[in-house]
Amino acid sequence: MYRYDEFDAHFVSARVDQFRDQVQRRLAGDLTEDQFKPLRLMNGVYLQLHAYMLRIAIPYGTLNARQMRRLAHVARTYDRGYGHFTTRQNIQFNWPRLKDIPDILSQLAEVEMHAIQTSGNCIRNVTADHFSGAAADEILDPRPYAEILRQWSSLHPEFSYLPRKFKIAVTGAPHDRAAVQVHDIGLQAVRDADGNVGFRVFVGGGLGRTPMVGRLVREFLPEADLLAYSEAILRVYNRYGRRDNKYKARIKILVHETGLEELKADIEAEFAEIRDGVLTLPASEIERITAYFAPPAFDVAVGDEAVLEAAIAADPQLEAFAARNVHPHRAPGYASLTISLKPIGKAPGDATAEQMEVVADLAERYGHDEIRVSHEQNLVLPHVRRRDIPAIHAALAEAGLAEANAGLVTDIIACPGLDYCALATARSIPVAQRISERFASPERQREIGDLKIKISGCINACGHHHVGHIGILGVEKKGEEYYQITLGGSADENTSVGEIIGRGFSYDEVVDAIEKVVDTYVGLRETPQEDFLAAYRRVGDQPFKEALYGTA
Amino acid sequence: MKALTANRLIDGEVVWLGRSGTWVETLAGAWLLETPEAVAEAEAAGAEAEAARLIVEPYLIDLTREDGEIQPVRFREKIRAKGPTVRLDLGKQARREVSAA
Ligand code: HEM
Ligand code: SF4
C-alpha cells in the first residue's frame, strides 16, 4: 500500500491547519458564507438536508485496518455511529458538526487520509478496480498509476478551477469493474506484443443529466506518457470547456460539441508540445511507486481447497456465500471476498462503526491488512486464503455482513437521495430497501442470477442509474415522488446507457413494476445463463413494455 | 402560511425562526408567518442572524395545517423537519420528547 512520504504528511497536516483556521475565521465572522463555501467544499464539507456532510477520499478504494478503525472512531465520536460508502469508493459521514471537522481531519491525517479534492471543480479521487492486484484476469495492477495520477493531480495549480469536476478511473483487467467508460478519463491498462505497458484512453464519459459513453482517443498510450497525455487532455478541456453553463461544462459536452476528431487533434497538438518534457515518467519512478503495491507474500497453499470444500458441504449458508461473494485470485489457494453492504432491507453502502471494526480485524487477521471499497458500495478483502473463508464467513455472519448476494438483484446501488441529499427530487434508499425485501428469498435471487439495479434520487445520477441493467431515477411530479425506469444500461467493457421504458411509477407502484420487469426477463430468457442484458439486447423493450403497460 | 428555516452555522442543525426571534430546533416552535408584514419581518431577522453568524442560507417554506398539526407542504421540508425516513432513530423525530423546549 502507498505510504505517505515526508512531503505528503506535511502537505496534509498543513492543509488541516489551514482549514482549522478557515473554520475559526468563519465562526468569528472574518469570512462570509460566500467566501467560506468554496473553501469548505475543497475539503469535502457539504451542507446537506439535516446537517453538514463530510466526504473522505479513499484513493482507488484501498485502505488498511488502521484506517478503517479510524473511520469507525470518527463515526462513533463525531457522527451517529455509521458511515456511507459511495460509488466513488469514498466514505461520507452525514452528521458532523462544522466545529468538529478540523479535529476529524486531523485524526484522519494521522492515518494518512484526507478529504482534499472530494468536491469542487478539480480532479477528484481517482478510482480503480476493487480487485486490483488480486484478480485472476488482471494484466497489471492499476493502482500505481492511480497513485501517480493522484500525486500529479493533487493541488495541480492549473487544474484547481476547471470548468467542472473531473473524474478519472483506471482498470488493469480486460473485464472492466471500474466503469472507466463513464468517467471523464477512463484508462484501461494493456500490454503490447512486446510486453510494454500502456493504456487505452477513453475521454468524455459521464452520467448526470446528459449520460455519455467515453470515446476511445488512444489505442495504446505508453505508460511513460501517462501524465503528459493526461495533462494535454486537461489543458484542452480547461481552455475550451464551457464555463457559461454548468450543465454543459463537463468534458463529455465538449467532446460532443467539438466532435471527436477535432478534439483528438487538439489533444495531440497539446501533447506534441509537452511530450518528452518534465512530465515523462521515468521507469525508475514507476518502479518506485509500484514497489508500494507489491503483492503480499502469498503462502504456497496446500490442501486449502479440501478444507474449504469440506466446510461448504456442511454449511449451506457458506455454500451460497462461496458461490457469490468469492472471486478468483491470481495466487493459488487465495481468493478475493466481497463483503456485502446490502443486507436485505438495509440502506446500501451503510456500515456501522462496529461493522467497520469487524472488517478491520478480519483484514488484519486473514487479509494481509488490505481492504477495498468497491464502486458497487461493498467492501472487499482482496487477499484471503481459501481455507480461511469459513472462519471469515462466520465472523461476518455474526456482524450481519454475510449476505451472499454479490452481483444479485438485491446488490443494489443507491445514492443517499431525499433522505439526506439537498439536491434530491425523490428518495432512493427506501426504494432499494423495498426491492431488496421483495426479492429477499435466496433461492429466487439465485434463480434470477446476475442483475444490476441502480437507483438515483435525482438527475445527477450519483447512483449510476443510467448504467444499471435496470435503472431507477427518482423525480418529483406535482409534489410526489415518481420513478422512471430505464433498461439495458451497463458499465463494463461494453458500456451502454439504458433507455427509458415508458411513463414513471409512483413510490407505491415502483417495486411491483421492477418485479414485473424481472419476471418478464426470467420468463423470456433462452437459458438461465442468458443474463438480463443479453436477453434485453436480443428481444428489445417490447416484452417489457407489454408487461408494464399492457399492449396499448 | 410560511416559516423561515435555515441551518445553524456551527453544527448544521436544521432550525426555524421562532416566535420570540430565537432559532428553534423543532418545527412546532416555529413562528407561523401569516401576513406579508410578518414575512418581511422574518426575512429581516434571517438576514440579521446570517450576518451574526448564527445560521446559513435562510429561506421561506410553505406550511399547511393537517389534522390540526402544522406541516410543511413540500416533502423535502417534511424530511428536514423529522429526519431520514429510513432512520427513525436519527434526526428530530428521534427526540420528540424534548421538542417542547
Ligand atoms: C450527498 C451529496 C451529493 C451531492 C451534493 C452530489 C452532487 C452531484 C452533482 C451535482 C452531480 C452532477 C455533476 C455533473 O454532471 O456535472 C453528481 C454526479 C455524480 N455523483 Fe454526486 N452528489 C452527492 C453524493 C454522491 C454520492 C453519495 C455518490 C456515490 C454514491 C456520488 C457519486 C456521483 C457520481 C458517480 C456522479 C455521476 C458521474 C458523473 O460525474 O458523470 N455523489 N453529484
Ligand atoms: S443523484 Fe441526486 S439525490 Fe442522489 S446523491 Fe446525487 S445529487 Fe443527491
Side-chain angles (χ1 to χ4, degrees):
Chain A
M1 209 173 140
Y2 184 72
R3 298 300 314 260
Y4 280 11
D5 60 21
E6 253 171 61
F7 172 80
D8 298 322
H10 176 75
F11 164 78
V12 171
S13 81
R15 181 65 173 250
V16 174
D17 294 342
Q18 183 189 47
F19 188 59
R20 188 182 296 281
D21 181 57
Q22 287 162 345
V23 170
Q24 267 159 14
R25 281 154 62 208
R26 174 71 185 110
L27 295 177
D30 299 332
L31 293 174
T32 64
E33 187 62 16
D34 284 349
Q35 291 166 327
F36 179 64
K37 192 173 171 181
L39 302 175
R40 69 164 157 77
L41 287 174
M42 283 179 191
N43 292 283
V45 183
Y46 287 74
L47 186 57
Q48 286 297 302
L49 224 44
H50 310 289
Y52 290 99
M53 183 271 273
L54 176 63
R55 182 183 288 160
I56 297 160
I58 301 175
Y60 30 90
T62 295
L63 72 171
N64 61 27
R66 185 162 169 250
Q67 293 172 319
M68 185 63 108
R69 284 201 190 97
R70 190 56 61 97
L71 293 174
H73 172 76
V74 168
R76 197 176 277 133
T77 313
Y78 301 101
D79 208 83
R80 304 288 162 89
Y82 71 106
H84 176 73
F85 289 98
T86 78
T87 52
R88 303 216 67 258
Q89 299 180 313
N90 293 325
I91 185 169
Q92 294 184 176
F93 289 111
N94 291 309
W95 306 90
R97 299 177 185 90
L98 180 61
K99 66 181 165 71
D100 292 337
I101 292 176
D103 289 341
I104 298 174
L105 293 176
S106 100
Q107 297 249 349
L108 293 170
E110 283 173 19
V111 296
E112 308 187 354
M113 298 184 89
H114 62 71
I116 300 165
Q117 289 183 207
T118 59
S119 172
N121 295 334
C122 54
I123 301 173
R124 302 286 188 89
N125 186 32
V126 178
T127 54
D129 182 352
H130 44 270
F131 293 141
S132 294
D137 66 347
E138 187 171 86
I139 293 167
L140 82 161
D141 186 345
R143 289 172 305 157
Y145 302 94
E147 174 57 28
I148 288 167
L149 286 164
R150 187 181 75 84
Q151 296 191 6
W152 158 77
S153 64
S154 291
L155 264 61
H156 193 303
E158 204 176 319
F159 305 141
S160 293
Y161 294 92
L162 294 168
R164 199 75 184 84
K165 58 170 96 165
F166 202 92
K167 299 177 179 178
I168 304 179
V170 202
T171 176
H175 176 50
D176 177 8
R177 287 171 289 255
V180 304
Q181 293 180 38
V182 292
H183 285 74
D184 297 280
I185 295 181
L187 298 165
Q188 186 193 7
V190 285
R191 276 185 203 278
D192 69 8
D194 301 323
N196 300 308
V197 174
F199 297 92
R200 298 181 79 207
V201 183
F202 296 88
V203 169
L207 300 172
R209 73 182 57 220
T210 324
M212 289 194 192
V213 177
R215 310 286 295 270
L216 188 67
V217 292
R218 267 286 185 136
E219 196 56 66
F220 187 87
L221 177 74
E223 57 176 345
D225 291 331
L226 177 63
L227 293 186
Y229 196 75
S230 301
E231 179 118 343
I233 295 171
L234 263 302
R235 280 192 178 177
V236 169
Y237 170 56
N238 207 15
R239 186 180 321 149
Y240 298 115
R242 290 182 59 170
R243 291 171 192 269
D244 60 320
N245 179 341
K246 81 170 185 177
Y247 300 123
K248 300 198 166 172
R250 296 288 292 270
I251 195 172
K252 63 190 173 190
I253 304 291
L254 183 65
V255 174
H256 183 72
E257 289 185 349
T258 313
L260 184 65
E261 289 314 314
E262 189 179 335
L263 198 77
K264 242 160 84 171
D266 288 342
I267 295 169
E268 291 296 335
E270 192 66 46
F271 179 53
E273 282 193 23
I274 54 178
R275 76 182 305 172
D276 303 325
V278 289
L279 285 172
T280 302
L281 277 170
S284 60
E285 179 63 8
I286 297 174
E287 264 167 44
R288 187 180 75 84
I289 300 289
T290 301
Y292 284 112
F293 299 92
F298 296 119
D299 299 327
V300 181
V302 190
D304 281 16
E305 217 46 56
V307 174
L308 179 59
E309 272 166 24
I312 284 174
D315 179 355
Q317 307 266 348
L318 178 62
E319 183 189 10
F321 183 80
R324 291 307 314 188
N325 295 33
V326 173
H327 308 273
H329 197 282
R330 55 154 65 148
Y334 277 75
S336 300
L337 284 193
T338 296
I339 300 173
S340 168
L341 296 181
K342 322 288 175 65
I344 298 302
K346 293 283 166 51
D350 280 7
T352 64
E354 293 71 31
Q355 289 176 326
M356 293 180 210
E357 281 163 352
V358 167
V359 173
D361 291 346
L362 291 173
E364 226 163 39
R365 175 134 187 234
Y366 300 109
H368 295 277
D369 198 19
E370 266 206 49
I371 303 161
R372 306 283 172 76
V373 182
S374 81
H375 84 273
E376 299 187 312
Q377 298 181 290
N378 291 317
L379 298 176
V380 167
L381 296 178
H383 314 296
V384 301
R385 265 185 82 156
R386 294 178 69 82
R387 70 182 312 142
D388 292 331
I389 291 174
I392 299 171
H393 176 257
L396 290 173
E398 211 163 294
L401 289 172
E403 200 68 49
N405 64 351
L408 293 177
V409 58
T410 58
D411 186 2
I412 300 168
I413 292 183
C415 78
L418 193 53
D419 283 294
Y420 295 98
C421 177
L423 302 176
T425 41
R427 287 174 293 168
S428 34
I429 296 170
V431 174
Q433 291 174 313
R434 288 164 55 222
I435 294 171
S436 165
E437 277 157 5
R438 178 69 61 92
F439 291 99
S441 149
E443 296 74 34
R444 186 173 181 199
Q445 290 188 55
R446 256 174 292 160
E447 193 210 330
I448 296 165
D450 287 333
L451 188 62
K452 293 184 192 301
I453 298 183
K454 309 192 185 206
I455 312 176
S456 305
C458 82
I459 193 67
N460 287 324
C462 305
H464 288 193
H465 67 275
H466 297 297
V467 290
H469 299 169
I470 301 175
I472 304 174
L473 165 63
V475 296
E476 184 182 342
K477 214 168 104 180
K478 299 194 185 118
E480 302 280 318
E481 293 165 297
Y482 240 76
Y483 295 88
Q484 250 173 26
I485 296 178
T486 53
L487 300 182
S490 168
D492 60 9
E493 58 280 10
N494 300 308
T495 295
S496 57
V497 171
E499 288 161 27
I500 298 175
I501 183 80
R503 70 167 173 80
F505 296 89
S506 70
Y507 181 79
D508 290 332
E509 296 165 338
V510 65
V511 178
D512 290 338
I514 296 301
E515 188 171 33
K516 271 191 197 154
V517 169
V518 174
D519 287 345
T520 302
Y521 150 65
V522 172
L524 61 69
R525 66 185 175 191
E526 286 184 327
T527 67
Q529 284 70 44
E530 187 183 44
D531 67 18
F532 184 89
L533 269 183
Y536 177 79
R537 285 170 184 167
R538 177 172 57 80
V539 302
D541 59 7
Q542 208 49 42
F544 298 97
K545 277 207 167 108
E546 276 166 27
L548 287 173
Y549 308 109
T551 39
Chain B
M1 191 177 15
K2 293 180 189 298
L4 190 72
T5 186
N7 290 77
R8 202 155 57 203
L9 171 65
I10 194 163
D11 59 3
E13 181 76 37
V14 173
V15 288
W16 296 264
L17 180 61
R19 285 173 215 99
S20 58
T22 56
W23 293 85
V24 297
E25 293 189 13
T26 54
L27 181 63
W31 177 18
L32 308 179
L33 311 170
E34 318 228 28
T35 64
E37 292 75 30
V39 166
E41 202 183 318
E43 283 185 309
E48 215 170 279
E50 214 179 357
R53 309 179 308 278
L54 290 175
I55 54 145
V56 287
E57 296 175 8
Y59 60 94
L60 293 165
I61 58 168
D62 290 316
L63 302 174
T64 59
R65 210 178 291 272
E66 269 174 37
D67 307 326
E69 212 185 326
I70 299 295
Q71 288 277 350
V73 171
R74 288 191 65 199
F75 190 43
R76 176 187 199 274
E77 292 303 324
K78 287 191 176 126
I79 292 178
R80 274 181 89 242
K82 290 190 172 148
T85 65
V86 292
R87 288 293 301 264
L88 301 182
D89 59 326
L90 296 175
K92 298 172 191 296
Q93 59 202 356
R95 46 172 182 165
R96 273 271 160 75
E97 347 49 277
V98 297
S99 69

